[in-house]
């Protein structure tokens, strides 16, 4: 048995057989085509494998990308496509691969490890569900529709033009996404691969560009309805949005007919107050959502360092200090101190959705709690096209 190690080029077909056997037994596409960023040749050294007599028998996929939160930038290593053949399970192979991924992530100075799952393999390492998001469910006819005209794949509603994204749109789309306050740092090359895959997060989809006065002002990656599932046969989901929220809402009436649905769901960040404000007069409010997987904080001290200038900007320099030691972080303010377990730091910084416990509520009233409430939680990016 060889490993843990990165994938060799000649083992790619063996890896594809493994992940498609485990995840695509229903025949719905192929993993290597649906997740081209993860399975790209330049990422083979981060496809951690165990190999038995030339056959890849266990795999942990990793993809390193930066994120930006209010201009504060850090590296992350996302984990997905974790698979082991049934006959090889129970030997700790996936655990060894996860441990190898964590070591490499820290060597690369990654701060966070988002994981597309929440099983014991991840929680034993300290991964937790953190982050706050919003799900809006908008019924057909909730918003007023303009006069629609259609030409091929293109639909115009009043002054709002809707069309499937093409190569000519990618640079503007990259710019629109770069203006989001909480996001992945994404290149046009990355976006091109994701759009061409026509697979949004975990299902079939497409990307639509919204133009006004001939210029792209917003886009959305849409998961199509699932006719074979009763609860999803009449709804589609906007799984990534960027750009003008008002233009997005003007486009919604056309999208119901485009996808043959009665409901459109919009997944966005809890910090998206503009979208919430625009939908509220129509009686649509958000259902709070947690992260769909788990997140491991790899370097607690580095996480706080990333946001040090932001904390000083909000509170004033020296108002809130901290010391990271062993398994706890001691926060200090105005002569008082209070410890938070390092395992709870991600939940403190990025928030949680009930019933998950909020470590901020364990801090007694006083200057420390007041300071923490003024700066946290921050918005953990929604991965959208960066899902692996």
């Amino acid at each position: 048995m060889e490993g843990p190690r990165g994938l060799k080029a000649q083992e790619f077909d063996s890896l594809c057989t493994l992940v498609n056997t485990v995840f695509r037994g229903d025949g719905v596409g192929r993993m290597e085509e649906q997740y081209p960023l993860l399975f790209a040749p330049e990422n083979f050294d981060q496809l951690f494998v165990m190999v038995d007599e030339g056959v890849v028998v266990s795999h942990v996929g990793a993809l390193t990308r930066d994120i930006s939160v209010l201009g504060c930038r850090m590296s992350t290593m996302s984990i997905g496509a974790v698979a082991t053949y049934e006959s090889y399970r129970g030997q700790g192979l996936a655990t060894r691969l996860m441990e190898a991924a964590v070591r490499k992530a820290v060597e690369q100075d990654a701060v966070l490890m988002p994981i597309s799952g929440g099983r014991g393999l991840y929680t034993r390492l300290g991964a937790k569900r953190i982050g706050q998001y919003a799900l809006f469910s908008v019924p057909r006819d909730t918003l007023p529709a303009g006069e629609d005209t259609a030409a091929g794949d293109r639909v115009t509603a009043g002054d709002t033009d809707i069309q499937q994204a093409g190569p000519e749109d990618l640079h503007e789309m990259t710019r629109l996404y770069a203006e989001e306050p909480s996001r992945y740092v994404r290149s046009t090359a990355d976006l091109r691969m994701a759009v061409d895959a026509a697979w949004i997060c975990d299902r079939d989809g497409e990307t639509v560009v919204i133009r006004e006065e001939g210029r792209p002002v917003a886009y959305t990656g849409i998961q199509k309805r699932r006719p074979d599932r009763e609860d999803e046969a009449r709804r589609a989901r906007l799984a990534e949005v960027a750009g003008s929220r008002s233009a997005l809402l003007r486009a919604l009436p056309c999208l119901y007919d485009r996808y043959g649905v009665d409901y459109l769901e919009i997944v966005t960040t809890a910090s998206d107050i503009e979208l919430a404000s625009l939908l509220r007069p129509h009686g649509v409010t958000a259902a709070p959502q947690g992260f769909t997987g788990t997140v491991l904080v790899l370097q607690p001290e580095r996480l706080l360092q990333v946001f040090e200038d932001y904390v000083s900007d909000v509170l004033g320099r020296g108002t809130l200090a901290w010391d990271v030691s062993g398994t706890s972080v001691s926060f200090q303010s105005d002569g008082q101190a209070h410890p938070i377990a390092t395992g709870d730091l991600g939940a403190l910084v990025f928030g949680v959705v009930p019933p998950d416990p909020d470590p901020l509520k364990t801090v007694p009233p006083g200057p420390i709690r007041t300071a923490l409430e003024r700066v946290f939680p921050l918005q953990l990016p929604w991965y959208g096209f960066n899902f692996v």
Side-chain angles (χ1 to χ4, degrees):
M1 182 81 69
E2 297 180 56
R5 61 167 173 77
L7 183 76
K8 297 178 181 178
Q10 63 268 28
E11 297 165 340
F12 181 67
D13 289 345
S14 180
L15 171 61
C16 293
T17 299
L18 168 64
V19 295
N20 285 301
T21 297
V22 172
F23 293 109
R24 292 295 178 263
D26 55 3
V28 182
R30 295 186 61 83
M31 293 280 285
E32 69 272 22
E33 297 172 356
Q34 294 162 347
Y35 301 104
L37 297 177
L38 181 65
F39 292 102
E42 57 269 26
N43 197 50
F44 281 1
D45 65 333
Q46 294 197 141
L47 302 180
F48 298 94
V49 293
M50 301 296 295
V51 181
D52 189 15
E53 296 184 351
V55 177
V56 177
V57 298
S58 187
H59 169 254
V60 166
L63 183 66
T64 299
R65 291 292 187 272
D66 283 1
I67 62 172
S68 176
V69 179
L70 301 179
C72 302
R73 187 160 167 168
M74 75 187 84
S75 179
T76 70
M77 178 184 277
S78 297
I79 299 294
V82 178
T84 303
Y85 280 123
E86 188 173 0
S87 59
Y88 284 86
R89 293 173 190 169
Q91 301 178 35
L93 302 183
T95 297
R96 292 171 61 189
L97 292 172
M98 278 298 302
E99 291 170 348
V102 168
R103 287 194 299 271
K104 183 156 189 178
V106 174
E107 289 172 4
Q108 296 178 164
D109 199 32
V111 178
L112 299 176
M113 179 174 275
I115 306 169
S116 57
R119 54 192 172 116
L121 172 64
Y122 315 127
T123 58
R124 285 193 297 271
L125 292 170
K128 294 187 176 182
R129 191 173 73 147
I130 62 175
Q132 299 175 330
Y133 304 93
L135 175 66
F136 295 94
S137 183
V138 188
R140 181 186 281 268
D141 299 328
T142 297
L143 303 173
E147 184 176 348
D148 297 354
T149 59
D153 183 53
R154 186 173 184 173
V155 179
T156 300
D159 296 325
T160 303
D161 182 77
I162 302 128
Q163 190 173 11
Q164 184 175 1
E168 70 280 4
D169 300 312
L170 293 171
H171 293 292
E172 282 291 338
M173 292 167 61
T174 301
R175 179 174 175 174
L176 288 169
Y177 183 71
E179 293 172 349
E180 295 292 312
S182 175
R183 61 184 177 88
Y184 278 80
V185 177
R186 185 188 295 154
S187 68
T188 299
D190 275 5
L191 181 62
R192 178 181 289 107
M193 292 174 71
V195 169
D196 288 348
W199 187 262
I200 314 294
C201 291
D202 62 350
R203 71 178 70 174
D204 182 35
E206 71 173 352
T207 305
V208 171
V209 174
I210 301 160
R211 293 180 180 82
E212 294 188 342
E213 298 182 350
R215 177 187 174 185
V217 294
Y219 77 82
T220 177
I222 303 176
Q223 296 177 326
K224 297 180 181 179
R225 67 188 183 95
R226 291 181 169 176
D228 58 324
R229 297 191 180 185
E230 184 176 353
D231 61 329
E232 298 184 33
R234 302 303 299 169
R235 62 179 171 89
R237 174 173 288 184
L238 282 61
E240 177 175 305
V241 297
S244 168
R245 275 31 178 192
S246 58
L248 176 71
L249 295 193
R250 285 191 288 274
L252 290 190
C254 292
L255 297 180
Y256 294 101
D257 290 334
R258 183 182 184 92
Y259 299 107
V261 295
D262 296 323
Y263 288 86
L264 286 169
E265 295 180 338
I266 307 172
V267 181
T268 187
T269 56
S271 63
D272 195 340
I273 57 177
E274 181 186 4
L275 185 60
S277 178
L278 290 169
L279 284 170
R280 192 176 301 113
H282 301 283
V284 178
T285 56
Q289 299 287 302
F291 193 63
T292 53
T294 51
V295 180
L296 176 62
V297 177
L298 298 165
Q299 300 189 74
E301 189 166 9
R302 284 281 291 118
L303 178 62
L304 291 169
Q305 287 174 350
V306 166
F307 295 115
E308 192 169 10
D309 287 342
Y310 157 77
V311 171
S312 295
D313 289 344
V314 175
L315 300 176
R317 192 163 296 279
T319 302
L320 181 67
W322 53 78
D323 291 315
V324 181
S325 177
T327 59
S328 69
V329 181
S330 176
F331 288 97
Q332 303 108 37
S333 182
D334 198 21
Q336 296 183 8
H338 185 82
I340 294 286
T342 54
D344 292 332
L345 187 60
L348 175 73
V349 172
F350 296 112
V352 295
V353 173
D356 293 336
D358 183 355
L360 185 58
K361 297 189 182 303
T362 68
V363 181
I368 295 175
R369 179 161 180 168
T370 298
L372 291 173
E373 287 177 334
R374 286 175 177 169
V375 294
F376 301 135
L378 294 170
Q379 182 62 62
L380 186 68
W382 176 250
Y383 39 33
F385 286 132
N386 283 80
F387 178 89
V388 297

